[in-house]
Amino acid sequence: MAGLMPMPGLIALVLVALCGLPGWITAAAPANPDDAAAMRVLANWTDAAAVLGWGVKSGDPCDGTWAGVSCNDAGRVTSIVASRGGLDGVLRGSDLAKLTFLSELDLSFNRLTSPSGNLPLLPTPLQHLRSLNLASNRFIEISEGFFSGFPALETIDISNNPMAVPELRADVLTFSGSLRSFSANGLGFMQVFPDYFGNPLVFPALETLSLAGNSLFGKIPPSFGNNSKITYLDMSSQTHDIDGKSYLTGRIDEFIPGMKSLVEVRLDHNIFFGPLPDATKLVNLRVFNAASNNLCGVPNFAGGVSVDLSENPHVGSPC
């Protein structure tokens, strides 16, 4: 009959179509049983089953029905992103430690805590975790040994948790070789400023250091940040609750010029003193805020830099 394709041609067309099937038609690898069990427990303890539907349509976290969960080709959970997910419950280190292939965990802006109230302490380290964000939850303390649970960490944000008297301990050096970004704003640290973050021999890859809104004190040494890779530095508003004053000080003209990679620096609302730095050789600098300090001298910045030196009564006059 006219218009019908000969049988050999029809067979060839079917074969071509089959060979060209999109990858999504192939069934994904089911989740590893241990990972699936850990995720089901995690879903129940954090209320993710109710608010995100984890486990409602399927008990397999790798089949695409678990919002924010990603897996590799072997069915191992590698990423959990549930920021602002409405989670409200308990995050247990014993559950997290079972997700041994996890490389990204973002549970920021929820209402999570732990059985102790502290940031969760892992019984065994997560060797593959690169990014951790637990900012803006309900953790009240940093457990001793918390940082040692993440030896390969590159970025961490634990900002804005309602901590009482948190402390940075020596285990923060666990991931010194790989760390690129450390953010711990608004936690109420009341200790000497941790200047080891500015040592490129200790933190050779660090690019972002954000410790704003704490109660850190002491004098920043002239060697801080010298030849480091730090591009973003925020040490603003180190205010003590006792008297509302800052006790973070030092001469910024001694350490800022040596931070050649700086793009944005915020030192406002402290008690830094002495001359303004010569920032003309900081070719990448775009934002410089040192408002509300006790600086003096004439500003010397390259064109195009957004500079805020307000509430420094002696700026503009020779020191």
Side-chain angles (χ1 to χ4, degrees):
M1 296 177 61
L4 290 179
M5 180 179 293
M7 185 59 69
L10 181 60
I11 294 174
L13 182 61
V14 171
L15 289 174
V16 169
L18 288 174
C19 292
L21 283 175
W24 53 263
I25 291 180
T26 303
N32 173 275
D34 292 336
D35 282 24
M39 288 298 295
R40 287 193 290 269
V41 173
L42 191 65
N44 290 330
W45 278 100
T46 63
D47 210 25
V51 297
L52 295 178
W54 285 7
V56 173
K57 293 182 179 180
S58 166
D60 185 346
C62 295
D63 68 1
T65 63
W66 291 50
V69 178
S70 300
C71 302
N72 62 17
D73 293 338
R76 307 307 299 261
V77 175
T78 57
S79 176
I80 301 174
V81 178
S83 179
R84 303 182 189 275
L87 304 182
D88 189 349
V90 175
L91 184 65
R92 303 190 306 178
S94 57
D95 299 329
L96 287 179
K98 295 174 182 177
L99 300 172
T100 55
F101 280 77
L102 197 63
S103 62
E104 178 185 24
L105 180 63
D106 185 353
L107 300 176
S108 57
F109 295 95
N110 287 293
R111 295 180 295 277
L112 296 173
T113 185
S114 72
S116 67
N118 299 352
L119 288 168
L121 193 62
L122 273 60
T124 54
L126 285 175
Q127 301 290 347
H128 298 284
L129 197 72
R130 300 288 185 270
S131 178
L132 176 63
N133 192 340
L134 297 175
S136 298
N137 278 283
R138 293 180 174 177
F139 300 107
I140 61 173
E141 185 56 272
I142 302 175
S143 302
E144 185 172 359
F146 166 73
F147 295 115
S148 61
F150 315 101
L153 209 61
E154 295 178 2
T155 66
I156 182 171
D157 193 344
I158 54 174
S159 301
N160 301 316
N161 279 284
M163 296 192 177
V165 189
E167 183 180 352
L168 286 174
R169 299 182 178 88
D171 62 304
V172 76
L173 303 176
T174 298
F175 42 72
S176 62
S178 58
L179 191 68
R180 293 189 295 105
S181 177
F182 187 89
S183 296
N185 304 308
L187 295 182
F189 288 126
M190 190 177 291
Q191 63 186 91
V192 175
F193 181 78
D195 55 21
Y196 46 75
F197 280 115
N199 187 337
L201 297 179
V202 179
F203 288 94
L206 190 64
E207 298 173 353
T208 294
L209 178 61
S210 191
L211 295 168
N214 286 294
S215 300
L216 299 169
F217 56 87
K219 184 177 180 180
I220 309 301
S223 60
F224 178 81
N226 190 40
N227 295 320
S228 70
K229 292 183 179 180
I230 295 175
T231 61
Y232 180 85
L233 177 66
D234 191 349
M235 300 190 293
S236 60
S237 301
Q238 303 298 322
T239 305
H240 280 243
D241 292 335
I242 298 174
D243 55 13
K245 297 180 180 179
S246 172
Y247 292 92
L248 185 65
T249 187
R251 287 184 49 165
I252 64 176
D253 66 313
E254 293 181 338
F255 67 86
I256 287 295
M259 302 181 71
K260 304 296 185 182
S261 298
L262 276 177
V263 175
E264 182 171 347
V265 56
R266 297 185 178 275
L267 308 172
D268 53 285
H269 295 87
N270 289 298
I271 52 171
F272 292 109
F273 65 94
L276 289 167
D278 180 357
T280 55
K281 294 182 180 179
L282 300 179
V283 296
N284 299 309
L285 190 64
R286 295 294 177 269
V287 177
F288 185 90
N289 188 342
S292 298
N293 280 283
N294 192 27
L295 304 172
C296 59
V298 178
N300 195 9
F301 295 86
V305 180
S306 174
V307 179
D308 187 350
L309 298 171
S310 58
E311 299 183 56
N312 281 279
H314 302 294
V315 164
S317 303
C319 294

